[in-house]
Amino acid sequence: MSKVDKKGAKTPQQSLDLQDSSVQKEQDGDLDFVLKIHDGHLHDLEISSVANLLSALGRIVDVKEASFNTIKEGSTTIAVTVPNDCRSLAMSNVLKDTAAKHKQIARIQKELGKYGYHRAEISYGTLKDDEVYEPKEILYVVPELETEETFTQEESLDGRLTRLQKGRDKSDHITIILNNGNEVPAQCSKKLLEELHPYFNTDKSLRFEGEATYLSKSNSYQLTLKKYIINKFHVIEDVSLEEWIDDFRAKGASNWAKHDDPIAEWLKERQD
């Protein structure tokens, strides 16, 4: 609005409003370096986590003249602003591969891990009020911190027995050699161990029933069988190929009995 003087003429009002910061920044050539956590929400983060993330970003940018810019909600956005004459140095610091940088990335990973967040990146661009931030370039993607989980399930294993180690508790520790050659540490009660003794270091195949504990890693689809608790077992009798085929054909529900050579029929179906 304008003032009206005594003669009725309008004169411009003196303005005390500050110039828009984002416009000034573009004119000055300042650059924003942004840590963006895609699956994180600001209100879910503890204050100490926000402080640690900001501190880590500042040390990665590693420019004395850098200043705090903002922390915004949505996909959590944490930013610092770097003067134009320091932008090359800041970009170089973000891109270079050093132990100091790895230490700060580890701090970020640790904070993300507290909340189960996975996707974060460091970019540069210009942050503007009331506008969605669009990075000019993503400089670094924070690697997902590998996590490990274990789970236990009832499972049968086929294999042979080797190596015995007496346990200090009520269980004894042995090793099962699976049919694929992998070795699995196992344990059982002392009573069951007595029944297993005749089968140690023989070619006799056994079928074990018990609890299998697996290890899964977040960055891998493979499961690792870490240990096995044997609850009971039975001997797998040696069966000739002809006996196996006769038994296979005898399973009438599968409709294989009508074929003279069920294996050939099975292979034929797989090729169709």
Side-chain angles (χ1 to χ4, degrees):
M1 295 181 64
S2 300
K3 291 182 181 178
V4 179
D5 60 18
K6 293 181 180 180
K7 297 181 180 179
K10 293 183 179 180
T11 59
Q13 179 183 11
Q14 288 184 329
S15 174
L16 296 178
D17 295 336
L18 295 176
Q19 190 173 13
D20 181 81
S21 58
S22 61
V23 174
Q24 184 66 47
K25 238 181 343 184
E26 287 187 336
Q27 292 174 349
D28 294 343
D30 291 349
L31 204 62
D32 298 319
F33 286 80
V34 178
L35 171 65
K36 186 172 184 178
I37 305 170
H38 290 270
D39 48 1
H41 295 284
L42 186 60
H43 62 267
D44 292 329
L45 272 62
E46 297 175 4
I47 293 175
S48 59
S49 294
V50 176
N52 282 333
L53 291 168
L54 177 61
S55 172
L57 175 63
R59 293 188 182 187
I60 291 171
V61 172
D62 197 23
V63 170
K64 184 178 180 181
E65 294 81 2
S67 59
F68 168 70
N69 184 306
T70 189
I71 297 173
K72 297 177 68 175
E73 179 58 291
S75 293
T76 301
T77 301
I78 296 173
V80 296
T81 298
V82 172
N84 182 46
D85 56 355
C86 298
R87 60 196 302 171
S88 296
L89 175 60
M91 290 181 67
S92 173
N93 289 337
V94 175
L95 290 170
K96 68 184 179 182
D97 190 27
T98 64
K101 175 183 169 183
H102 291 168
K103 182 178 179 180
Q104 302 309 319
I105 293 297
R107 290 179 67 191
I108 293 173
Q109 290 175 318
K110 181 179 179 181
E111 295 301 332
L112 298 183
K114 285 183 182 180
Y115 307 95
Y117 297 158
H118 304 284
R119 299 173 57 224
E121 64 198 27
I122 298 174
S123 62
Y124 77 89
T126 302
L127 276 167
K128 298 181 180 179
D129 293 338
D130 302 323
E131 288 189 22
V132 177
Y133 169 68
E134 294 292 343
K136 290 186 178 179
E137 183 180 356
I138 296 173
L139 299 175
Y140 185 84
V141 177
V142 178
E144 183 178 343
L145 186 63
E146 186 175 68
T147 58
E148 296 183 346
E149 293 184 8
T150 59
F151 65 91
T152 301
Q153 64 183 23
E154 298 289 330
E155 189 167 336
S156 297
L157 295 180
D158 292 352
R160 296 175 288 111
L161 285 177
T162 185
R163 287 198 295 276
L164 167 65
Q165 180 181 351
K166 296 290 185 179
R168 295 181 180 180
D169 52 14
K170 295 183 179 180
S171 64
D172 288 300
H173 302 268
I174 58 182
T175 300
I176 299 173
I177 303 177
L178 302 178
N179 291 338
N180 62 6
N182 291 342
E183 297 187 359
V184 178
Q187 62 187 69
C188 63
S189 66
K190 293 186 180 296
K191 181 178 183 301
L192 192 58
L193 179 63
E194 294 176 2
E195 300 176 31
L196 288 170
H197 261 299
Y199 304 105
F200 271 90
N201 298 315
T202 69
D203 292 330
K204 187 63 79 173
S205 293
L206 306 175
R207 177 157 295 158
F208 305 96
E209 295 182 25
E211 297 178 1
T213 299
Y214 284 92
L215 174 68
S216 69
K217 295 185 177 181
S218 60
N219 290 347
S220 172
Y221 294 104
Q222 293 185 342
L223 299 176
T224 304
L225 180 56
K226 297 300 292 183
K227 69 175 183 179
Y228 190 76
I229 298 177
I230 305 172
N231 294 328
K232 57 183 178 179
F233 76 98
H234 65 268
V235 179
I236 300 176
E237 299 296 339
D238 294 330
V239 178
S240 67
L241 179 60
E242 291 78 11
E243 290 174 320
W244 183 87
I245 291 176
D246 289 341
D247 179 66
F248 186 61
R249 292 176 60 193
K251 302 187 185 306
S254 65
N255 204 31
W256 289 98
K258 67 179 182 180
H259 300 292
D260 293 330
D261 190 346
I263 300 299
E265 291 296 324
W266 177 73
L267 291 173
K268 181 180 176 182
E269 286 187 6
R270 288 180 60 86
Q271 292 173 353
D272 290 341

